[in-house]
Structure formats: C-alpha cells, structure tokens
Amino acid sequence: MFVHNKRLQYTVRVSECNPGLANLMLEQFGGPQGELAAACRYFTQYLAEDDPGRKDMLIDIATEELSHLEVIGNIVAMLNKSAKGHIAEGTDSEAELYRQISGGGNSSHVTQLLYGGGAAFTNSGGVPFSSSYVDTIGDPTCDLRSNIAAEARAKIIYERLINMTDDPGVKEALGFLMTREISHQKSFEKALYSIEPNFPPGKLPGMAEFDSVYFNMSGKEGHEVRGPWNKEPDFEYREAEPAVDGGSGLAEVKVSSADATLLQNSAARLQSDPDSDPLTGAMLGMKNGKSPSHG
Ligand code: MN
Ligand code: MN
C-alpha cells in the first residue's frame, strides 16, 4: 500500500510566476526521461522481481520517483499560479493575458488553455505521456542496465533545466532531484554487479567465434582511430565479409511444390519487361509527351 505524507520530499520555493519555465519543467513530469516514466519503470520491475533485496530497492526507488513527480509537479503548478488566476478571473486585457501565457515562446499556452495551469502528463512540447517510455523487459540484468541509462538521461535533463532556470528556489529543488538520480544510478550499478555473472544477459552464450569480433564496416577507408572498443586483445578486428558462416549468404526457405508453383505463377505475372518503352500517365500530361527539360 502507499501512504501519503502531506509534506514534499524537498521544499519548493518559487520566486515568481513563469509559465514558459513551467512548461520546460513538464519535460520531467510527463516526458520520456521524467519522473512518471521512472516510477512506472521501477514499479513494473518490482511487481515481477523475486529477489528480496532487489524487490525492496525497486519499490523504494519507484516510490521516491513518485515523490519527485510531486516535487516537479508542484514546481509547475507554482510557476503557473498567477497566470492561472489571471486567466480564470479575466482580470487583464486580452493582449496582456496572451503575453502572460505564451511568455517563454514555447507551448505554455496549451498548459494554460487546456490544462488550466495544472501539471499535465505531457513533455515540454505538449506530447502526451506514453507507456512506451516504460521499457521494462523482465530480466534483471537488462532492466538494471536500462535503469542505469535512464538515470543518466534524467540527470542530464535536470542539468539542462538547471542551466535554463534563473529562479534560485527552482534551481535548488532541481539540484536535489538531479542529485537523487545520481544516487539511484549508483544503487542500480551495485545491484547489477551483485549478480554474478551478469554478462552476457540471459542464459544462452553467444557464438564463440563471433562474440569478440569487431567488423570493419567502413570498407577500405577503415578507421583512423582505433581504441579499446575494437582493439586487441579484447577484440579481433576483421574486414567485413559476406556469409561469415561459410554458407551461400543467400536467404532460403523450403516450401511445398504446390506453393512453389503458386509463387512462380505470381512472379511470372508480375515480371517486368526491361526492353519495353511504355507510355505513362506522366508522359500524357506533358507537352508532346516530353518534359520541358527535353526541349
Ligand atoms: Mn527522480
Ligand atoms: Mn531516479
């Protein structure tokens, strides 16, 4: 069960109304790297997890992400507060109201007109939240790697938001949220490496002759810079070649003779005549059947 505490995880002090800035904050409310996506990601993983330690961690972090959602949502609501009142009461001139709600030049007018200044589950561009942001796949070594990457991305989005914010209270709260993503990334890293072995993911090994090969797919130009990502001793650097399995390199399938006849009939019916010179609709529309470029 969830129990709600009336106080936020971190105090939100917003200096002044700023609908344009509020809209930028929506990126971490309903965007792909946002707090709802994070909470849902870890919550789904928690539901299916059997390992008691990981299960605890996942629901703790999922719950903390919901607390972050509450913080960022309150930042949005506070930044919209005055404009919301002005619009609801129609106190100012039309032009002044218009100026207020479209302040930042982004889609803040949508937040005001459609959502009444509340925090909507969209990203900063107004794109509705999608459950496709939740990329849980049900294998802890995959999910933990994805979580690590998700925390890294969330950290960067917060950093960008902090750099675009001059409100000190907002900056501070965002700094806290950003810092927590660093801490989550560390926990997920520890959880991943407390599974041994954790690589490659899953149970099936790769094909030994290919699992440490780097194929040069850049042709004769090759690579001016080679590094540990494609160098010996960890990698065998090989020129790209077709049919590395030693086979024909062609796609084959066995079909019944009856199906083969059908397929041949179909291919014969649709075959092209390379020696033809057909009159086409495009030519009919041109003067003398010729385009201007032909004189
Ligand atoms: Mn968070
Ligand atoms: Mn996090």
Side-chain angles (χ1 to χ4, degrees):
M1 59 176 270
F2 285 96
V3 175
H4 187 257
N5 190 303
K6 292 187 195 308
R7 296 197 296 162
L8 299 169
Q9 195 190 11
Y10 199 90
T11 309
V12 170
R13 298 181 198 86
V14 173
S15 309
E16 57 177 355
C17 176
N18 186 341
L21 185 59
N23 247 61
L24 294 181
M25 299 299 143
L26 286 180
E27 195 58 46
Q28 287 303 74
F29 192 72
Q33 320 307 337
E35 300 295 353
L36 181 65
C40 293
R41 187 179 293 118
Y42 310 143
F43 186 71
T44 52
Q45 292 170 24
Y46 145 80
L47 292 173
E49 183 58 76
D50 292 317
D51 183 86
R54 274 202 304 275
K55 195 175 179 75
D56 271 357
M57 174 194 69
L58 287 163
I59 193 59
D60 275 337
I61 299 183
T63 306
E64 182 174 356
E65 303 295 15
L66 283 175
S67 307
H68 296 176
L69 184 71
E70 193 178 22
V71 170
I72 195 83
N74 271 282
I75 291 175
V76 172
M78 294 307 118
L79 284 168
N80 278 329
K81 202 59 119 180
S82 302
K84 176 186 159 88
H86 288 211
I87 285 188
E89 300 303 316
T91 49
D92 304 326
S93 72
E94 292 87 343
E96 175 57 20
L97 279 178
Y98 184 80
R99 190 195 62 75
Q100 284 178 25
I101 68 169
S102 47
N106 58 26
S107 18
S108 55
H109 60 285
V110 180
T111 312
Q112 295 295 336
L113 285 178
L114 184 58
Y115 304 117
F121 280 121
T122 69
N123 76 351
S124 57
V127 178
F129 179 81
S130 166
S131 62
S132 64
Y133 300 158
V134 182
D135 55 5
T136 296
I137 200 172
D139 176 279
T141 68
C142 292
D143 285 336
L144 288 168
R145 285 191 167 87
S146 180
N147 298 352
I148 290 163
E151 294 292 343
R153 294 193 298 267
K155 196 269 180 185
I156 292 297
I157 300 284
Y158 274 124
E159 192 166 319
R160 291 173 183 168
L161 288 173
I162 288 167
N163 289 342
M164 283 186 284
T165 307
D166 60 2
D167 187 314
V170 176
K171 242 185 180 24
E172 189 190 334
L174 291 177
F176 170 75
L177 296 176
M178 180 191 77
T179 303
R180 294 304 301 152
E181 315 310 14
I182 296 171
S183 179
H184 293 164
Q185 182 169 346
K186 286 177 174 173
S187 286
F188 289 137
E189 295 260 9
K190 288 287 188 189
L192 172 62
Y193 288 95
S194 69
I195 305 170
E196 279 194 32
N198 62 62
F199 188 87
K203 191 174 170 186
L204 293 176
M207 301 159 95
E209 66 270 44
F210 297 121
D211 74 0
S212 299
V213 171
Y214 188 96
F215 284 118
N216 168 26
M217 304 303 281
S218 304
K220 288 202 181 74
E221 290 180 10
H223 303 98
E224 277 175 28
V225 179
R226 286 185 55 200
W229 52 87
N230 63 11
K231 260 192 345 203
E232 298 76 10
D234 290 322
F235 290 94
E236 179 195 348
Y237 186 86
R238 277 170 57 175
E239 294 307 316
E241 54 188 286
V244 291
D245 57 320
S248 70
L250 301 176
E252 297 169 12
V253 62
K254 284 199 171 71
V255 296
S256 69
S257 59
D259 284 355
T261 304
L262 288 178
L263 292 163
Q264 280 160 9
N265 291 347
S266 173
R269 183 165 52 80
L270 294 169
Q271 80 179 346
S272 57
D273 175 5
D275 296 324
S276 66
D277 184 14
L279 183 63
T280 67
M283 293 166 75
L284 288 171
M286 299 172 202
K287 198 175 181 184
N288 303 324
K290 286 178 180 171
S291 61
S293 58
H294 288 106

